[in-house]
Amino acid sequence: MWSVLITAIVFASAVGSCLAASGTVTTAMAVHGALMLTAWGLLMPAGGIAARYFKVTPGQDFPRVVENLTWWRWHRGLQYGGMALATAALGVILSETSGRFDTLHGRCGLVVMALGWLQVASGLLRGSKGGPTDPGSDPLDPCTWRGDHYDMTPRRHAFERWHKPAGWCAVIFAGVTILLGLQLVGSPVWLLFVVGVLQAGAVISVLDCAARRRWVDTYASLWGPDPRHPGDRRTSRS
C-alpha cells in the first residue's frame, strides 16, 4: 500500500515538474494540476475499482473462504490518500486565486471536492458492522451478531444508496473537470497523453472486470451467500 502511495507522489512530482518547466502555468497551478491528476485520475478510480470488483480476490476459494478484507484496505488507503492529495491541491490553488472560482473548471472542481469529502463523511457514519467475526461477538451465539451492516438497518441502506453511486459520479465528474483543466494549461501533448492513458486504463479495467463477472455482493463477500443471514434475504444489491 505505502509503495503505491509513494509511487503516486513520485508521479505527481514528475508531472508537476514538467508542467512548471513548460512555462505555461505558474508553479502553484502546476502543483495543483499534478496533485489533482494523481488523486482523481489515478488513486480514486483505482480505489473504486478495488471496492467494486475485488471483494473476492483471484484464487480465493469463495464461498468457502469469506471476509477477505484486502479490497477494504486498498479502497480505504487509496481513497484517503487521494483525498489528502486533492485537499492539498485545493489549498495550493486557493492561495493562487485568493479563494475565487471564476472558471467552469474551478466551479466543477469545487463540486468534485464537496462530493469527495461527503464520501469520507458517509464512510465514517456508515454504522457498525456486526456479524459472527465482529469484535465482541460470540461466533456461537447469533444474538451477539447485531450490527448495522449485518442486519442491513435503515442506516446501512441509506449509506449504500448514497456512497456507491455518489462515489462513481464523483470519479466521472472529476474526469470531466480534469479535461476542463487541460484547456487552462494549453493542453500540452504529453499531458494529453498521460490523461488519456489514465482515463482509458480506468475504463478498460472496469469493462474487463465486468466482462469477467468479478462483482460480488458486499454482504455475501463478508458472510457468504447464506439465506440464514438477514442481509442475504434482501433482494437489493449492495
Side-chain angles (χ1 to χ4, degrees):
M1 172 63 69
W2 285 109
S3 62
V4 172
L5 295 177
I6 291 172
T7 300
I9 292 173
V10 172
F11 170 79
S13 299
V15 171
S17 297
C18 291
L19 263 178
S22 69
T24 59
V25 296
T26 65
T27 299
M29 291 176 67
V31 172
H32 167 80
L35 291 176
M36 283 298 192
L37 178 61
T38 304
W40 288 103
L42 178 61
L43 297 180
M44 302 290 203
I49 290 170
R52 175 70 179 174
Y53 293 113
F54 288 90
K55 294 184 180 76
V56 173
T57 56
Q60 179 181 334
D61 187 13
F62 179 81
R64 190 181 67 84
V65 177
V66 295
E67 202 169 7
N68 180 349
L69 297 181
T70 300
W71 70 271
W72 164 243
R73 289 187 287 270
W74 278 95
H75 177 65
R76 182 175 57 180
L78 291 171
Q79 305 308 81
Y80 281 1
M83 281 307 299
L85 293 183
T87 302
L90 179 61
V92 169
I93 204 62
L94 287 177
S95 68
E96 178 86 355
T97 65
S98 300
R100 298 192 311 273
F101 296 90
D102 298 331
T103 65
L104 178 60
H105 166 76
R107 290 188 285 270
C108 289
L110 190 60
V111 172
V112 169
M113 287 301 296
L115 285 172
W117 277 111
L118 284 172
Q119 287 298 94
V120 173
S122 69
L124 295 174
L125 296 172
R126 69 188 181 278
S128 58
K129 180 184 175 185
T133 60
D134 199 43
S137 295
D138 180 353
L140 301 179
D141 183 5
C143 292
T144 66
W145 299 357
R146 305 280 67 83
D148 288 298
H149 195 176
Y150 184 73
D151 293 320
M152 287 308 294
T153 63
R155 178 175 182 172
R156 180 69 192 192
H157 274 295
F159 163 74
E160 296 199 359
R161 289 193 184 107
W162 162 263
H163 190 76
K164 298 176 183 182
W168 284 110
C169 285
V171 168
I172 294 170
F173 196 36
V176 174
T177 305
I178 288 171
L179 296 178
L180 291 172
L182 289 178
Q183 296 178 336
L184 299 180
V185 299
S187 301
V189 174
W190 66 268
L191 187 55
L192 283 171
F193 176 77
V194 171
V195 172
V197 168
L198 290 177
Q199 294 192 345
V203 171
I204 291 171
S205 296
V206 169
L207 293 176
D208 179 66
C209 289
R212 295 172 183 267
R213 300 180 181 274
R214 289 210 46 81
W215 179 87
V216 175
D217 180 270
T218 306
Y219 195 100
S221 75
L222 292 174
W223 297 294
D226 189 335
R228 290 175 297 178
H229 297 304
D232 279 321
R233 293 196 292 267
R234 74 203 193 287
T235 58
S236 61
R237 298 174 75 177
S238 69

